[in-house]
Amino acid sequence: GSTGGTAVPFTRAQAIVQERCVPCHSAHPTRVNSAPMGLVFDTPKQIAAQARLIEQVAVNTKVMPLGNQTGMTQAERDTLGAWIRQGAKTR
């Protein structure tokens, strides 16, 4: 893939995280009783703070979402990866 390309706005990255990660990784998750490893992505700050981990598990190794229960697409993984490589900025 291209590393240049268009800058990915945080709103796009956040939308992916909200849809694909937050069902489990939230203070009030809908799919599990409590967030795995206590990791929650409810706020921009929380998402940015874990950007490298998100890159590792959702972009590089693709072990998350677990069993891909929320149906994250490769395009979404690429978008998240691009946002993180561009500095994981929240504004």
Side-chain angles (χ1 to χ4, degrees), residues 25 27 40-51 54:
H25 290 287
V40 297
F41 305 133
D42 294 321
T43 69
K45 191 173 181 180
Q46 289 168 334
I47 295 168
Q50 300 297 337
I54 292 170

Side-chain angles (χ1 to χ4, degrees), residues 39-73:
L39 288 170
V40 297
F41 305 133
D42 294 321
T43 69
K45 191 173 181 180
Q46 289 168 334
I47 295 168
Q50 300 297 337
R52 290 289 164 213
L53 183 64
I54 292 170
E55 180 180 45
Q56 182 60 35
V57 300
V59 181
N60 296 343
T61 62
K62 302 179 192 168
V63 295
M64 287 284 134
L66 199 60
N68 204 15
Q69 289 175 30
T70 54
M72 187 183 275
T73 66

Side-chain angles (χ1 to χ4, degrees), residues 1-6 82 85:
S2 70
T3 45
T6 329
R85 282 192 304 274

Side-chain angles (χ1 to χ4, degrees), residues 11-32:
T11 50
R12 181 72 192 106
Q14 186 176 29
I16 295 168
V17 170
Q18 286 288 349
E19 189 176 352
R20 307 303 188 191
C21 314
V22 165
C24 294
H25 290 287
S26 169
H28 306 283
T30 55
R31 282 179 168 256
V32 292

